[in-house]
Amino acid sequence: MTENDAATVTRVGPPPRHHLALMIWVAVFPTLTALQLLLGDLLAGAPTVLRTLVLATIAVPIVIYGLMPPLQRLRVRLLARRS
């Protein structure tokens, strides 16, 4: 890393709760909507608790490992642009 690269690196702390809540909502809502559209017919006869368990078991890893890291990088880029 050169001096110029080091100068362009912006340290951004953890997100405030309202940023984190928005990022989670942006990740969770479309994920659950897509899963419901894909699996709704398959799970139609299942009890609500089982449907919720299946959807949460699939959705949580997608959100945590697939969607939150890009959203956090986007947040860092947006905040770096502001400064």
Side-chain angles (χ1 to χ4, degrees):
M1 185 179 323
T2 66
E3 276 187 47
N4 290 338
D5 291 338
T8 60
V9 173
T10 302
R11 299 263 184 230
V12 177
R17 284 187 183 186
H18 63 280
H19 287 192
L20 188 58
L22 180 62
M23 288 189 303
I24 291 170
W25 185 87
V26 165
V28 168
F29 180 75
T31 302
L32 288 177
T33 302
L35 288 173
Q36 187 66 14
L37 290 171
L38 290 170
L39 302 174
D41 291 339
L42 183 66
L43 297 173
T48 303
V49 173
L50 179 60
R51 273 194 319 245
T52 304
L53 176 66
V54 169
L55 292 175
T57 301
I58 297 168
V60 169
I62 291 170
V63 169
I64 296 300
Y65 298 111
L67 299 175
M68 287 303 288
L71 285 173
Q72 290 179 351
R73 286 191 296 273
L74 176 63
R75 176 183 167 268
V76 168
R77 278 195 302 254
L78 289 173
L79 290 176
R81 258 190 207 169
R82 287 176 137 188
S83 53

